[in-house]
Coordinates of all heavy atoms in Angstrom, one line a residue:
M1 N -32.7 65.9 -41.7 CA -32.7 65.1 -40.5 C -33.9 65.6 -39.7 O -34.1 66.7 -39.4 CB -31.4 65.3 -39.8 CG -31.4 64.6 -38.5 SD -29.8 64.8 -37.6 CE -30.0 66.4 -36.8
A2 N -34.6 64.6 -39.2 CA -35.8 64.9 -38.4 C -35.4 64.7 -36.9 O -34.7 63.7 -36.6 CB -36.9 64.1 -38.8
I3 N -35.9 65.5 -36.0 CA -35.8 65.3 -34.6 C -37.1 64.7 -34.1 O -38.2 65.2 -34.5 CB -35.5 66.7 -33.9 CG1 -34.2 67.3 -34.4 CG2 -35.5 66.5 -32.4 CD1 -33.9 68.7 -34.0
N4 N -37.0 63.7 -33.3 CA -38.2 63.0 -32.9 C -39.2 63.9 -32.2 O -40.4 63.9 -32.4 CB -37.9 61.8 -32.0 CG -37.2 60.7 -32.7 OD1 -37.4 60.6 -34.0 ND2 -36.5 59.8 -32.1
N5 N -38.7 64.7 -31.2 CA -39.6 65.6 -30.5 C -39.1 67.0 -30.7 O -38.1 67.4 -30.2 CB -39.5 65.2 -29.0 CG -40.5 66.1 -28.2 OD1 -41.0 67.1 -28.7 ND2 -40.7 65.7 -27.0
N6 N -39.8 67.8 -31.5 CA -39.4 69.1 -31.9 C -40.0 70.2 -31.0 O -39.9 71.4 -31.4 CB -39.9 69.3 -33.4 CG -39.1 70.3 -34.1 OD1 -38.1 70.8 -33.6 ND2 -39.5 70.6 -35.4
S7 N -40.4 69.8 -29.8 CA -41.0 70.8 -28.9 C -39.8 71.8 -28.5 O -38.7 71.4 -28.5 CB -41.6 70.2 -27.7 OG -40.6 69.7 -26.8
S8 N -40.2 73.0 -28.1 CA -39.2 74.0 -27.7 C -38.5 73.5 -26.5 O -37.3 73.8 -26.3 CB -39.8 75.4 -27.5 OG -40.8 75.3 -26.5
E9 N -39.1 72.8 -25.6 CA -38.5 72.3 -24.4 C -37.4 71.3 -24.7 O -36.3 71.3 -24.2 CB -39.5 71.7 -23.5 CG -38.9 71.1 -22.2 CD -40.0 70.5 -21.3 OE1 -41.2 70.8 -21.4 OE2 -39.6 69.6 -20.5
N10 N -37.7 70.4 -25.7 CA -36.8 69.3 -26.1 C -35.6 70.0 -26.8 O -34.4 69.6 -26.6 CB -37.5 68.3 -27.0 CG -36.6 67.1 -27.2 OD1 -36.0 66.5 -26.2 ND2 -36.5 66.7 -28.4
V11 N -35.9 70.9 -27.6 CA -34.8 71.6 -28.4 C -33.9 72.3 -27.4 O -32.6 72.3 -27.5 CB -35.3 72.5 -29.4 CG1 -34.3 73.4 -30.0 CG2 -36.0 71.7 -30.5
E12 N -34.4 72.9 -26.4 CA -33.6 73.6 -25.4 C -32.8 72.6 -24.6 O -31.6 72.9 -24.3 CB -34.5 74.4 -24.4 CG -33.8 75.2 -23.3 CD -32.8 76.2 -23.9 OE1 -33.1 76.8 -25.0 OE2 -31.8 76.5 -23.3
I13 N -33.3 71.5 -24.2 CA -32.5 70.5 -23.5 C -31.4 70.0 -24.4 O -30.2 69.8 -23.9 CB -33.4 69.3 -23.1 CG1 -34.4 69.7 -22.0 CG2 -32.6 68.1 -22.7 CD1 -35.5 68.7 -21.7
M14 N -31.6 69.8 -25.7 CA -30.6 69.3 -26.6 C -29.5 70.4 -26.7 O -28.3 70.1 -26.7 CB -31.1 69.0 -28.0 CG -31.9 67.7 -28.0 SD -32.4 67.3 -29.7 CE -33.6 68.5 -30.1
S15 N -29.9 71.6 -26.8 CA -28.9 72.7 -26.8 C -28.1 72.8 -25.6 O -26.9 73.0 -25.7 CB -29.7 74.0 -27.1 OG -28.8 75.1 -27.1
Q16 N -28.7 72.7 -24.4 CA -27.9 72.7 -23.2 C -26.9 71.6 -23.1 O -25.8 71.8 -22.6 CB -28.9 72.6 -22.0 CG -29.7 73.9 -21.7 CD -30.7 73.8 -20.6 OE1 -30.8 72.7 -20.0 NE2 -31.4 74.8 -20.4
T17 N -27.3 70.4 -23.5 CA -26.5 69.2 -23.5 C -25.2 69.5 -24.4 O -24.1 69.2 -24.0 CB -27.2 68.0 -24.0 OG1 -28.3 67.7 -23.1 CG2 -26.3 66.8 -24.0
L18 N -25.5 70.0 -25.6 CA -24.4 70.2 -26.5 C -23.4 71.3 -26.0 O -22.2 71.2 -26.1 CB -24.9 70.5 -27.9 CG -25.6 69.4 -28.6 CD1 -26.3 69.9 -29.9 CD2 -24.6 68.3 -28.9
R19 N -24.0 72.4 -25.4 CA -23.2 73.4 -24.8 C -22.4 72.9 -23.7 O -21.2 73.3 -23.5 CB -24.1 74.6 -24.4 CG -24.4 75.6 -25.5 CD -25.0 76.9 -24.9 NE -26.1 76.7 -23.9 CZ -27.4 76.8 -24.2 NH1 -27.8 77.1 -25.4 NH2 -28.2 76.6 -23.2
A20 N -22.9 72.0 -22.9 CA -22.3 71.5 -21.7 C -21.0 70.7 -22.0 O -20.1 70.6 -21.2 CB -23.2 70.7 -20.8
M21 N -21.0 70.1 -23.2 CA -19.9 69.3 -23.6 C -19.0 70.0 -24.7 O -18.1 69.3 -25.2 CB -20.3 67.9 -24.1 CG -21.3 67.9 -25.2 SD -22.1 66.3 -25.4 CE -20.8 65.3 -26.0
S22 N -19.2 71.2 -25.0 CA -18.6 71.8 -26.1 C -17.2 72.4 -25.9 O -16.5 72.7 -26.8 CB -19.5 72.9 -26.7 OG -19.6 74.0 -25.8
H23 N -16.7 72.5 -24.6 CA -15.4 73.0 -24.3 C -14.4 71.9 -24.6 O -14.6 70.8 -24.2 CB -15.4 73.5 -22.9 CG -14.2 74.3 -22.5 ND1 -12.9 73.7 -22.3 CD2 -14.0 75.6 -22.4 CE1 -12.1 74.6 -22.1 NE2 -12.7 75.8 -22.1
P24 N -13.2 72.3 -25.2 CA -12.2 71.2 -25.5 C -11.8 70.5 -24.2 O -11.6 69.2 -24.3 CB -11.0 72.1 -26.0 CG -11.7 73.3 -26.6 CD -12.8 73.6 -25.7
N25 N -11.6 71.1 -23.1 CA -11.2 70.4 -21.9 C -12.3 69.4 -21.4 O -12.0 68.3 -20.9 CB -11.0 71.4 -20.7 CG -9.7 72.2 -20.9 OD1 -8.9 71.9 -21.8 ND2 -9.6 73.3 -20.1
R26 N -13.5 69.8 -21.6 CA -14.6 68.9 -21.3 C -14.6 67.6 -22.2 O -14.9 66.5 -21.7 CB -16.0 69.6 -21.3 CG -16.1 70.6 -20.2 CD -17.4 71.4 -20.3 NE -17.3 72.4 -19.2 CZ -18.4 73.0 -18.7 NH1 -19.6 72.7 -19.2 NH2 -18.2 73.9 -17.8
I27 N -14.3 67.8 -23.4 CA -14.2 66.7 -24.4 C -13.1 65.7 -23.9 O -13.3 64.5 -23.9 CB -14.1 67.2 -25.8 CG1 -15.3 67.9 -26.3 CG2 -13.7 66.0 -26.7 CD1 -15.2 68.6 -27.6
I28 N -12.0 66.3 -23.5 CA -10.9 65.5 -23.0 C -11.4 64.7 -21.7 O -11.1 63.5 -21.6 CB -9.7 66.3 -22.7 CG1 -9.1 66.9 -24.0 CG2 -8.6 65.6 -21.9 CD1 -8.0 68.0 -23.9
I29 N -12.0 65.4 -20.8 CA -12.5 64.7 -19.6 C -13.5 63.6 -19.9 O -13.5 62.5 -19.4 CB -13.1 65.8 -18.6 CG1 -12.0 66.7 -18.1 CG2 -13.9 65.1 -17.5 CD1 -12.5 67.9 -17.4
I30 N -14.5 63.9 -20.8 CA -15.4 62.9 -21.3 C -14.8 61.7 -21.9 O -15.1 60.5 -21.5 CB -16.5 63.5 -22.2 CG1 -17.4 64.5 -21.5 CG2 -17.3 62.4 -22.9 CD1 -18.2 65.4 -22.4
N31 N -13.8 61.9 -22.7 CA -13.0 60.8 -23.3 C -12.3 60.0 -22.3 O -12.3 58.7 -22.3 CB -12.0 61.3 -24.4 CG -12.7 61.5 -25.7 OD1 -13.5 60.8 -26.2 ND2 -12.3 62.6 -26.4
L32 N -11.7 60.7 -21.3 CA -11.0 60.0 -20.2 C -12.0 59.1 -19.4 O -11.8 58.0 -19.1 CB -10.3 61.0 -19.3 CG -9.6 60.5 -18.1 CD1 -8.4 59.6 -18.6 CD2 -9.0 61.6 -17.3
L33 N -13.2 59.7 -19.1 CA -14.2 58.9 -18.3 C -14.7 57.8 -19.1 O -15.1 56.8 -18.5 CB -15.3 59.9 -17.8 CG -14.9 60.8 -16.7 CD1 -16.0 61.9 -16.5 CD2 -14.6 60.1 -15.4
S34 N -14.8 57.9 -20.4 CA -15.3 56.8 -21.2 C -14.3 55.6 -21.1 O -14.7 54.4 -21.2 CB -15.5 57.2 -22.7 OG -14.2 57.2 -23.4
K35 N -13.0 55.8 -20.9 CA -12.0 54.8 -20.8 C -11.9 54.3 -19.3 O -11.7 53.1 -19.1 CB -10.7 55.3 -21.3 CG -10.8 55.6 -22.8 CD -9.4 56.1 -23.3 CE -9.5 56.4 -24.7 NZ -9.4 57.8 -25.0
C36 N -11.9 55.2 -18.4 CA -11.6 54.8 -17.0 C -12.9 54.6 -16.1 O -12.8 54.1 -15.0 CB -10.8 56.0 -16.3 SG -9.2 56.2 -17.1
K37 N -14.0 54.9 -16.7 CA -15.3 54.6 -16.1 C -15.7 55.5 -14.8 O -16.7 56.1 -14.8 CB -15.5 53.1 -15.7 CG -15.3 52.2 -16.8 CD -16.3 52.4 -17.9 CE -16.0 51.4 -19.1 NZ -16.3 51.9 -20.3
R38 N -14.7 55.6 -13.9 CA -15.1 56.3 -12.6 C -13.8 56.9 -12.1 O -12.8 56.2 -11.8 CB -15.6 55.3 -11.6 CG -16.1 55.9 -10.3 CD -16.5 54.8 -9.4 NE -15.6 54.9 -8.2 CZ -15.8 54.4 -7.1 NH1 -16.9 53.7 -6.9 NH2 -15.0 54.6 -6.1
L39 N -13.8 58.3 -12.0 CA -12.6 59.0 -11.5 C -12.9 60.1 -10.6 O -14.0 60.7 -10.7 CB -11.8 59.5 -12.7 CG -11.2 58.5 -13.7 CD1 -10.6 59.3 -14.9 CD2 -10.1 57.7 -13.0
S40 N -12.0 60.4 -9.7 CA -12.1 61.6 -8.8 C -11.6 62.8 -9.5 O -10.9 62.7 -10.5 CB -11.4 61.4 -7.5 OG -10.0 61.3 -7.7
V41 N -11.8 64.0 -9.0 CA -11.3 65.2 -9.6 C -9.7 65.1 -9.6 O -9.1 65.5 -10.5 CB -11.8 66.4 -8.8 CG1 -11.0 67.7 -9.2 CG2 -13.2 66.7 -9.0
G42 N -9.2 64.6 -8.5 CA -7.7 64.4 -8.4 C -7.2 63.5 -9.5 O -6.2 63.8 -10.1
D43 N -7.9 62.4 -9.7 CA -7.5 61.4 -10.7 C -7.5 62.1 -12.1 O -6.6 62.0 -12.9 CB -8.4 60.2 -10.8 CG -8.3 59.4 -9.5 OD1 -7.3 59.4 -8.8 OD2 -9.3 58.7 -9.2
I44 N -8.6 62.8 -12.4 CA -8.8 63.5 -13.7 C -7.6 64.5 -13.8 O -7.0 64.6 -14.9 CB -10.2 64.1 -13.8 CG1 -11.2 63.1 -13.8 CG2 -10.2 65.0 -15.1 CD1 -12.7 63.6 -13.7
S45 N -7.4 65.3 -12.8 CA -6.4 66.3 -12.8 C -5.0 65.7 -13.1 O -4.2 66.2 -14.0 CB -6.3 67.1 -11.5 OG -5.3 68.0 -11.5
E46 N -4.7 64.6 -12.4 CA -3.4 63.9 -12.6 C -3.3 63.4 -14.1 O -2.2 63.5 -14.7 CB -3.3 62.8 -11.6 CG -2.0 62.0 -11.7 CD -2.0 60.9 -10.7 OE1 -2.3 61.1 -9.5 OE2 -1.7 59.7 -11.1
K47 N -4.3 62.8 -14.6 CA -4.3 62.2 -15.9 C -4.3 63.2 -17.1 O -3.8 62.9 -18.1 CB -5.4 61.2 -16.1 CG -5.2 59.9 -15.2 CD -6.4 59.0 -15.4 CE -6.3 57.8 -14.5 NZ -5.2 56.9 -14.7
T48 N -4.9 64.4 -16.8 CA -5.0 65.4 -17.9 C -3.9 66.5 -17.8 O -3.7 67.1 -18.8 CB -6.4 66.0 -17.9 OG1 -6.5 66.7 -16.6 CG2 -7.5 65.0 -18.2
G49 N -3.4 66.7 -16.6 CA -2.5 67.8 -16.3 C -3.2 69.1 -16.1 O -2.6 70.1 -15.9
F50 N -4.6 69.1 -16.0 CA -5.3 70.2 -15.7 C -5.3 70.5 -14.2 O -5.3 69.6 -13.4 CB -6.8 70.1 -16.2 CG -7.0 69.8 -17.6 CD1 -8.2 69.1 -18.0 CD2 -6.1 70.2 -18.6 CE1 -8.4 68.9 -19.4 CE2 -6.4 70.0 -19.9 CZ -7.5 69.3 -20.3
A51 N -5.4 71.8 -13.8 CA -5.4 72.1 -12.4 C -6.7 71.6 -11.8 O -7.7 71.6 -12.4 CB -5.3 73.6 -12.3
Q52 N -6.6 71.2 -10.5 CA -7.8 70.6 -9.9 C -9.0 71.6 -9.8 O -10.1 71.2 -10.1 CB -7.5 70.2 -8.4 CG -6.8 68.8 -8.4 CD -6.7 68.2 -7.0 OE1 -7.3 68.7 -6.1 NE2 -6.0 67.1 -7.0
P53 N -8.8 72.9 -9.6 CA -10.0 73.8 -9.6 C -10.6 73.8 -11.0 O -11.9 73.9 -11.1 CB -9.4 75.2 -9.2 CG -8.1 74.9 -8.5 CD -7.6 73.6 -9.1
L54 N -9.9 73.8 -12.0 CA -10.4 73.8 -13.4 C -11.2 72.5 -13.6 O -12.4 72.5 -14.1 CB -9.3 73.9 -14.4 CG -9.7 73.9 -15.9 CD1 -10.5 75.1 -16.2 CD2 -8.5 73.7 -16.8
V55 N -10.7 71.4 -13.2 CA -11.4 70.1 -13.4 C -12.7 70.1 -12.6 O -13.7 69.7 -13.1 CB -10.5 68.9 -13.0 CG1 -11.3 67.6 -12.9 CG2 -9.3 68.7 -13.9
S56 N -12.6 70.6 -11.3 CA -13.7 70.6 -10.5 C -14.8 71.5 -11.1 O -16.0 71.1 -11.1 CB -13.3 71.2 -9.1 OG -14.3 71.1 -8.2
H57 N -14.5 72.6 -11.6 CA -15.4 73.5 -12.3 C -16.1 72.8 -13.4 O -17.4 72.8 -13.6 CB -14.7 74.8 -12.8 CG -15.6 75.5 -13.8 ND1 -16.6 76.3 -13.4 CD2 -15.5 75.6 -15.2 CE1 -17.2 76.8 -14.5 NE2 -16.5 76.4 -15.6
H58 N -15.3 72.1 -14.3 CA -15.9 71.4 -15.5 C -16.8 70.2 -15.0 O -17.9 70.1 -15.6 CB -14.8 70.9 -16.4 CG -14.2 72.0 -17.2 ND1 -14.9 72.9 -18.0 CD2 -12.9 72.3 -17.4 CE1 -14.1 73.7 -18.6 NE2 -12.8 73.4 -18.2
V59 N -16.4 69.4 -14.1 CA -17.2 68.2 -13.8 C -18.4 68.6 -13.0 O -19.5 68.0 -13.2 CB -16.4 67.2 -13.0 CG1 -15.3 66.6 -13.9 CG2 -15.8 67.6 -11.7
L60 N -18.4 69.7 -12.2 CA -19.6 70.1 -11.5 C -20.6 70.6 -12.5 O -21.8 70.4 -12.3 CB -19.2 71.2 -10.4 CG -18.5 70.7 -9.2 CD1 -18.0 71.9 -8.3 CD2 -19.5 69.8 -8.4
D61 N -20.1 71.4 -13.4 CA -21.1 71.9 -14.4 C -21.7 70.8 -15.3 O -22.9 70.8 -15.5 CB -20.4 73.0 -15.3 CG -21.4 73.7 -16.2 OD1 -22.3 74.4 -15.6 OD2 -21.3 73.6 -17.4
M62 N -20.8 69.9 -15.7 CA -21.4 68.8 -16.5 C -22.3 67.9 -15.7 O -23.3 67.4 -16.2 CB -20.2 67.9 -17.1 CG -19.5 68.6 -18.2 SD -18.3 67.6 -19.1 CE -17.0 67.3 -17.9
H63 N -22.0 67.7 -14.4 CA -22.9 67.0 -13.5 C -24.2 67.7 -13.4 O -25.3 67.1 -13.5 CB -22.3 66.8 -12.1 CG -23.2 66.1 -11.2 ND1 -23.8 66.9 -10.2 CD2 -23.5 64.8 -11.0 CE1 -24.6 66.0 -9.5 NE2 -24.4 64.8 -9.9
S64 N -24.2 69.0 -13.2 CA -25.5 69.8 -13.0 C -26.3 69.8 -14.3 O -27.5 69.9 -14.2 CB -25.2 71.2 -12.6 OG -24.6 72.0 -13.7
K65 N -25.7 69.5 -15.4 CA -26.4 69.5 -16.7 C -26.7 68.1 -17.1 O -27.2 67.9 -18.2 CB -25.6 70.3 -17.8 CG -25.5 71.7 -17.4 CD -25.1 72.6 -18.5 CE -25.2 74.1 -18.1 NZ -24.0 74.7 -17.7
G66 N -26.5 67.1 -16.3 CA -26.9 65.8 -16.5 C -26.0 64.9 -17.3 O -26.4 63.8 -17.7
L67 N -24.8 65.3 -17.6 CA -23.8 64.5 -18.4 C -23.1 63.5 -17.5 O -22.7 62.4 -18.0 CB -22.8 65.4 -19.1 CG -23.4 66.4 -20.2 CD1 -22.3 67.2 -20.8 CD2 -24.1 65.6 -21.2
L68 N -22.8 63.9 -16.3 CA -22.0 63.0 -15.4 C -22.8 62.6 -14.2 O -23.7 63.3 -13.7 CB -20.8 63.7 -14.9 CG -19.8 64.3 -16.0 CD1 -18.6 64.9 -15.3 CD2 -19.4 63.2 -16.9
S69 N -22.5 61.4 -13.7 CA -23.0 60.9 -12.4 C -22.0 61.2 -11.3 O -20.8 61.2 -11.6 CB -23.3 59.4 -12.5 OG -24.3 59.1 -13.4
L70 N -22.5 61.3 -10.1 CA -21.6 61.6 -9.0 C -21.8 60.5 -8.0 O -23.0 60.2 -7.6 CB -21.9 62.9 -8.4 CG -21.2 63.3 -7.1 CD1 -19.7 63.3 -7.2 CD2 -21.7 64.6 -6.6
E71 N -20.8 59.8 -7.5 CA -20.9 58.8 -6.5 C -20.0 59.2 -5.3 O -18.8 59.4 -5.6 CB -20.5 57.5 -7.1 CG -20.6 56.3 -6.1 CD -20.0 55.0 -6.7 OE1 -20.1 54.9 -7.9 OE2 -19.5 54.2 -5.9
R72 N -20.5 59.3 -4.2 CA -19.6 59.6 -3.0 C -19.3 58.3 -2.2 O -20.1 57.4 -2.1 CB -20.4 60.5 -2.1 CG -20.6 61.9 -2.7 CD -20.8 63.0 -1.7 NE -21.0 64.3 -2.3 CZ -20.1 65.1 -2.7 NH1 -18.8 64.8 -2.5 NH2 -20.4 66.2 -3.2
D73 N -18.0 58.3 -1.8 CA -17.5 57.2 -1.0 C -16.7 57.8 0.1 O -15.6 58.2 0.0 CB -16.6 56.3 -1.9 CG -16.0 55.1 -1.1 OD1 -16.5 54.8 0.0 OD2 -15.1 54.5 -1.6
G74 N -17.4 58.0 1.2 CA -16.9 58.8 2.3 C -16.6 60.2 1.9 O -17.5 60.9 1.5
R75 N -15.4 60.7 2.1 CA -15.0 62.0 1.7 C -14.7 62.2 0.2 O -14.5 63.3 -0.3 CB -13.8 62.5 2.5 CG -14.2 62.6 4.0 CD -13.0 63.1 4.7 NE -12.5 64.4 4.1 CZ -11.7 65.2 4.7 NH1 -11.3 65.0 5.9 NH2 -11.3 66.3 4.1
N76 N -14.6 61.1 -0.5 CA -14.2 61.1 -1.9 C -15.5 61.1 -2.8 O -16.5 60.5 -2.5 CB -13.4 59.9 -2.3 CG -12.1 59.8 -1.5 OD1 -11.4 60.8 -1.3 ND2 -11.8 58.6 -1.0
A77 N -15.3 61.9 -3.9 CA -16.4 62.0 -4.9 C -15.8 61.4 -6.2 O -14.7 61.8 -6.6 CB -16.9 63.4 -5.1
Y78 N -16.6 60.6 -6.9 CA -16.2 60.0 -8.1 C -17.2 60.3 -9.2 O -18.4 60.2 -9.0 CB -16.0 58.5 -8.0 CG -15.0 58.1 -7.0 CD1 -15.3 57.8 -5.7 CD2 -13.6 58.0 -7.4 CE1 -14.3 57.5 -4.8 CE2 -12.6 57.6 -6.5 CZ -13.0 57.4 -5.2 OH -12.0 57.1 -4.3
Y79 N -16.7 60.7 -10.4 CA -17.5 61.0 -11.5 C -17.5 59.9 -12.6 O -16.4 59.3 -12.8 CB -17.1 62.4 -12.1 CG -17.4 63.5 -11.2 CD1 -16.4 63.9 -10.2 CD2 -18.6 64.2 -11.2 CE1 -16.7 65.0 -9.4 CE2 -18.9 65.2 -10.3 CZ -17.9 65.6 -9.4 OH -18.2 66.6 -8.6
S80 N -18.6 59.8 -13.3 CA -18.6 58.8 -14.4 C -19.6 59.4 -15.4 O -20.4 60.3 -15.1 CB -19.1 57.4 -13.9 OG -20.3 57.5 -13.3
L81 N -19.6 58.8 -16.6 CA -20.5 59.3 -17.6 C -21.9 58.8 -17.2 O -22.0 57.6 -16.9 CB -20.1 58.7 -19.0 CG -18.8 59.2 -19.6 CD1 -18.6 58.6 -21.0 CD2 -18.9 60.7 -19.8
K82 N -22.9 59.6 -17.3 CA -24.2 59.2 -17.0 C -24.8 58.4 -18.1 O -25.6 57.5 -17.8 CB -25.1 60.5 -16.7 CG -26.4 60.2 -16.1 CD -27.0 61.4 -15.6 CE -28.2 61.2 -14.7 NZ -28.7 62.4 -14.1
D83 N -24.4 58.6 -19.3 CA -24.9 57.9 -20.4 C -23.8 57.8 -21.5 O -23.3 58.8 -22.0 CB -26.1 58.6 -21.0 CG -26.9 57.8 -22.1 OD1 -26.3 57.0 -22.8 OD2 -28.1 58.1 -22.3
V84 N -23.4 56.5 -21.7 CA -22.3 56.3 -22.7 C -22.6 56.7 -24.1 O -21.7 56.9 -24.9 CB -21.8 54.9 -22.6 CG1 -21.2 54.5 -21.3 CG2 -22.9 53.9 -23.0
R85 N -23.9 57.0 -24.4 CA -24.2 57.5 -25.7 C -23.6 58.9 -26.0 O -23.5 59.3 -27.2 CB -25.7 57.5 -25.9 CG -26.3 56.1 -25.9 CD -27.8 56.1 -26.1 NE -28.4 56.8 -24.9 CZ -29.7 57.1 -24.8 NH1 -30.5 56.8 -25.7 NH2 -30.1 57.6 -23.7
I86 N -23.1 59.5 -25.0 CA -22.4 60.8 -25.2 C -21.3 60.6 -26.2 O -20.9 61.4 -27.0 CB -21.9 61.4 -23.8 CG1 -23.1 61.8 -22.9 CG2 -20.9 62.5 -24.0 CD1 -22.7 62.1 -21.5
M87 N -20.6 59.4 -26.1 CA -19.5 59.1 -26.9 C -19.9 59.0 -28.4 O -19.2 59.4 -29.3 CB -18.8 57.8 -26.5 CG -18.2 57.9 -25.1 SD -17.1 59.4 -24.9 CE -15.9 59.1 -26.1
K88 N -21.2 58.6 -28.7 CA -21.7 58.6 -30.0 C -21.7 60.0 -30.6 O -21.4 60.3 -31.8 CB -23.0 57.9 -30.1 CG -23.0 56.5 -29.9 CD -24.4 55.9 -30.0 CE -24.4 54.4 -29.8 NZ -25.7 53.8 -30.0
I89 N -22.1 61.0 -29.8 CA -22.2 62.4 -30.2 C -20.8 62.9 -30.6 O -20.6 63.5 -31.6 CB -22.8 63.3 -29.1 CG1 -24.3 62.9 -28.8 CG2 -22.7 64.7 -29.5 CD1 -24.9 63.5 -27.6
L90 N -19.8 62.6 -29.7 CA -18.5 63.0 -30.0 C -17.9 62.3 -31.3 O -17.2 62.9 -32.1 CB -17.6 62.7 -28.8 CG -17.9 63.6 -27.6 CD1 -16.9 63.2 -26.5 CD2 -17.8 65.1 -27.9
K91 N -18.3 61.0 -31.5 CA -17.8 60.3 -32.6 C -18.4 60.9 -33.9 O -17.7 61.1 -34.9 CB -18.2 58.8 -32.5 CG -18.0 58.0 -33.8 CD -16.6 57.6 -34.0 CE -16.4 56.6 -35.1 NZ -16.0 57.1 -36.3
I92 N -19.7 61.3 -33.9 CA -20.3 61.9 -35.0 C -19.7 63.2 -35.3 O -19.4 63.6 -36.5 CB -21.8 62.0 -34.8 CG1 -22.5 60.7 -34.8 CG2 -22.5 63.0 -35.8 CD1 -23.9 60.7 -34.3
A93 N -19.4 64.0 -34.3 CA -18.7 65.3 -34.5 C -17.4 65.1 -35.1 O -17.0 65.9 -36.0 CB -18.6 66.1 -33.1
S94 N -16.6 64.1 -34.6 CA -15.3 63.8 -35.2 C -15.4 63.4 -36.7 O -14.6 63.9 -37.5 CB -14.7 62.7 -34.4 OG -13.4 62.4 -34.9
D95 N -16.4 62.6 -37.0 CA -16.6 62.1 -38.3 C -17.0 63.3 -39.3 O -16.5 63.4 -40.4 CB -17.7 61.1 -38.4 CG -17.3 59.8 -37.8 OD1 -16.1 59.6 -37.5 OD2 -18.1 58.9 -37.6
I96 N -17.8 64.2 -38.8 CA -18.2 65.4 -39.6 C -17.0 66.2 -39.9 O -16.8 66.7 -41.0 CB -19.3 66.2 -38.9 CG1 -20.6 65.5 -38.8 CG2 -19.4 67.6 -39.5 CD1 -21.6 66.1 -37.9
E97 N -16.1 66.4 -38.9 CA -14.9 67.2 -39.0 C -14.0 66.6 -40.1 O -13.3 67.3 -40.8 CB -14.2 67.4 -37.7 CG -12.9 68.1 -37.7 CD -13.0 69.5 -38.2 OE1 -14.0 70.2 -38.0 OE2 -12.0 70.0 -38.8
S98 N -13.9 65.3 -40.1 CA -12.9 64.7 -41.0 C -13.5 64.4 -42.4 O -12.8 63.9 -43.3 CB -12.4 63.4 -40.4 OG -13.4 62.5 -40.1
A99 N -14.8 64.7 -42.6 CA -15.5 64.4 -43.9 C -15.1 65.4 -44.9 O -14.8 66.5 -44.7 CB -17.0 64.3 -43.7

């Protein structure tokens, strides 16, 4: 398999992206956001059963690494997938596991 841009900077960015989504809780959050489009930390916590501080930690880190978008509405903050192609990465990982 060839990578279009094999520069060390590009490889580092790819590595950071994969690390940012590699935790099982983050995969659950990403899957949830792919279905619900836009959720607050409280919404994610309620739907997953994860504690709010844990959710907050995960979404802030994924946002800082470019995986999630953040939209503020007054005092509320809503997260969404920055790029839905993230789901393709998870689908490929799932397909590899089941092959």
